[in-house]
Amino acid sequence: MAAQQEQRRHGRIDPANCSMGRALSVVGERWSLLIVREALDGASRFGDFRARLGIASNLLSTRLDSLVAAGVLQRVPYREPGDRQRYEYRLTEKGADLRPTVIALLEWGDKYLADEQGPSVVVRHRSSEGSRCDEPVALVLECAAGHTHLPPGSVYRSPGPGAHFLPA
């Protein structure tokens, strides 16, 4: 037991067992998060995604299939009168939980890559009752004790319960 505790204090965590790496295997390809962004904004049909993103149909089809397989989107059949059955793509809870990730990337892009005129969109708050506060939304890191506005040097990674360590 003492050897395990010593390894936890000084051992290097195996990067192969990494939730971030697993997440990137699902949404790390450029089009995947853009599809999620559009779904968060209300797109649900193949044609909506294609028109909004300007993506080739074969690539869109492949990305939608991978997001469905990963449980980020669910495929729901629909049929317009006189048409064949088609599918809508709706966010699952897993997909909707990517909203903070999308907003964080947008904030980073706005800070470092926006045009001189500023960002092209601003994420704003609307209450659950439908009324609009209309104030801009910003992500805030917060520890479990409620501390916010954490300086970069005060945040670090430590071994979690699923950590695997590399041999010394």
Side-chain angles (χ1 to χ4, degrees):
M1 186 68 155
Q4 268 184 331
Q5 289 175 337
E6 183 66 19
Q7 186 178 33
R8 280 191 170 278
R9 279 199 301 269
H10 301 292
R12 177 153 156 63
I13 298 171
D14 185 351
N17 182 34
C18 174
S19 295
M20 183 175 178
R22 289 184 186 122
L24 287 172
S25 73
V26 174
V27 295
E29 190 279 328
R30 174 182 187 247
W31 292 109
S32 297
L33 273 180
L34 293 175
I35 290 167
V36 170
R37 178 195 68 192
E38 294 306 319
L40 288 165
D41 282 349
S44 63
R45 295 187 177 180
F46 189 91
D48 296 336
F49 291 112
R50 194 177 62 217
R52 290 177 179 210
L53 295 170
I55 182 175
S57 294
N58 62 331
L59 188 53
L60 176 57
S61 182
T62 300
R63 293 294 165 250
L64 288 170
D65 288 346
S66 68
L67 291 169
V68 168
V72 172
L73 295 172
Q74 65 180 350
R75 192 177 279 127
V76 179
Y78 75 93
R79 179 177 297 192
E80 297 287 344
D83 260 350
R84 66 180 173 85
Q85 178 175 293
R86 296 180 187 271
Y87 294 94
E88 287 186 328
Y89 297 88
R90 296 187 189 154
L91 287 166
T92 61
E93 180 180 355
K94 188 188 235 184
D97 282 349
L98 284 165
R99 184 179 299 274
T101 303
V102 171
I103 292 172
L105 283 170
L106 179 65
E107 285 184 1
W108 184 87
D110 288 348
K111 182 174 181 179
Y112 295 106
L113 305 170
D115 291 343
E116 284 183 24
Q117 299 82 8
S120 61
V121 298
V122 176
V123 178
R124 297 189 179 275
H125 174 234
R126 175 179 38 237
S127 74
S128 58
E129 298 84 40
S131 63
R132 291 178 186 248
C133 161
D134 274 339
E135 289 299 316
V137 170
L139 290 180
V140 177
L141 291 179
E142 180 178 339
C143 76
H147 300 117
T148 60
H149 306 292
L150 308 174
S154 71
V155 178
Y156 65 96
R157 298 180 338 129
S158 67
H164 299 174
F165 295 90
L166 296 172

